[in-house]
Amino acid sequence: MIDLPQPTGAELWPPEEPGPRARLHKPWRTLVAAVEVVLAVVAGWAAYACWHSSVATVVTTTDDGAVLESHRYFGGLLAAAIGLGTVAALLLVDAVRQLSLAVRARSAKTRA
């Protein structure tokens, strides 16, 4: 068995240059979180409106006086409501992430 050195691909990447490290603590992230919360509320309201618009009640009275009530569901509006609810949830999760990065993350210099 011949054991040859395997290529790692390390020579394909340029060497890392020393430079300033990226800061996670940026106060403008609070504004981004606030905008995302507002957008999540709008998406949630739109999801609620789509969900309640997707059902139509049909009432039919027969010849003998019986009242028959049925519901018709519109799939496109139901799908839009589910999609908007998912977007609202993702916006809220990212708003929490942005807010935690704006408040809690500090550089190594301030901790020391």
Side-chain angles (χ1 to χ4, degrees):
M1 174 177 188
I2 301 173
D3 191 19
L4 297 174
Q6 298 296 316
T8 61
E11 65 277 353
L12 299 176
W13 301 100
E16 291 187 26
E17 297 177 7
R21 295 186 57 155
R23 293 184 326 131
L24 290 177
H25 175 65
K26 296 179 182 176
W28 58 266
R29 289 182 187 265
T30 307
L31 179 64
V32 172
V35 169
E36 285 182 340
V37 167
V38 169
L39 289 175
V41 168
V42 170
W45 176 81
Y48 179 81
C50 285
W51 188 268
H52 286 287
S53 298
S54 66
V55 180
T57 303
V58 180
V59 178
T60 306
T61 306
T62 61
D63 293 335
D64 61 354
V67 177
L68 303 174
E69 182 178 327
S70 62
H71 300 283
R72 181 171 181 208
Y73 296 96
F74 300 101
L77 285 172
L78 286 173
I82 292 170
L84 285 168
T86 303
V87 167
L90 290 174
L91 282 170
L92 285 176
V93 167
D94 191 58
V96 169
R97 181 186 73 89
Q98 292 285 354
L99 193 60
S100 68
L101 286 175
V103 174
R104 295 179 64 202
R106 303 279 186 229
S107 66
K109 294 177 187 175
T110 44
R111 278 188 266 162

